[in-house]
Amino acid sequence: MQPQTKKPRPAEREAVGINSQSNYSTHDPLSEVTSRLKGVIKRHNGGILAFCPSHDDRKGRSLAVNVGREGQAILHCFAGCSVHEITQAIGLNPADLFPRTESKYDPQTRSFFNEWQILSALQHDATVVLIAARWMLSGHALPESDIDFLSKAVIRINEAISYSRRFK
């Protein structure tokens, strides 16, 4: 009599849907979108064409799908359907088009202006103030537009002074 062999059981599947936590760091928006579309074909430029799910696409594929600079899925329907209509038709929301990151907040390092950058930015304003002062010293009145510009220049100069004092 032969010993009974156990039949292999299929591995238990984890929830790997778009909103599951296990798929959090490996979420690929392009794959998620294209897996829900019909008539997907690859284009020569790396993009994808498919039938738009939010309208009756009988004549041809009117939905272009590509990857953006930040890794997001970009959708464009040449028939004019909005991103909201397309994502709703395939059971997603617009936030699902963006890749997920491990952290909720990615702090950016802040860069400050040095004194030379501040002076360079104010060089034009200082020149205009000098020209206006010479013009007024010669007895001429300034037009209203020049007075407005000078007022804004004085504000910019004062803000630059306040900005540079924060770091001393």
Side-chain angles (χ1 to χ4, degrees), residues 33-41 48-53 57 61-63 90:
V33 169
T34 55
S35 69
R36 297 169 183 245
L37 297 174
K38 293 182 176 146
V40 175
I41 59 171
I48 293 170
L49 282 177
F51 295 115
C52 181
D57 227 0
R61 293 167 174 87
S62 63
L63 181 64
I90 59 176

Side-chain angles (χ1 to χ4, degrees), residues 37-97:
L37 297 174
K38 293 182 176 146
V40 175
I41 59 171
K42 290 205 175 235
R43 297 169 65 185
H44 68 281
N45 65 357
I48 293 170
L49 282 177
F51 295 115
C52 181
S54 63
H55 75 272
D56 190 17
D57 227 0
R58 291 185 184 183
K59 293 185 179 179
R61 293 167 174 87
S62 63
L63 181 64
V65 184
N66 213 329
V67 179
R69 287 186 207 139
E70 307 273 325
Q72 76 275 24
I74 298 174
L75 308 176
H76 177 74
C77 177
F78 294 101
C81 298
S82 72
V83 171
H84 296 282
E85 293 169 332
I86 298 166
T87 53
Q88 184 179 15
I90 59 176
L92 298 175
N93 65 47
D96 295 326
L97 300 178

Side-chain angles (χ1 to χ4, degrees), residues 133-144:
R134 287 187 176 164
W135 184 257
M136 289 172 33
L137 283 174
S138 66
H140 297 95
L142 290 175
E144 189 65 32

Side-chain angles (χ1 to χ4, degrees), residues 1-34:
M1 182 169 184
Q2 288 184 337
Q4 285 186 344
T5 57
K6 290 185 177 179
K7 291 183 182 177
R9 291 176 27 183
E12 301 224 3
R13 292 185 60 186
E14 293 182 34
V16 290
I18 188 145
N19 295 318
S20 72
Q21 199 65 7
S22 65
N23 198 25
Y24 192 72
S25 63
T26 60
H27 171 65
D28 177 24
L30 185 65
S31 298
E32 187 65 40
V33 169
T34 55

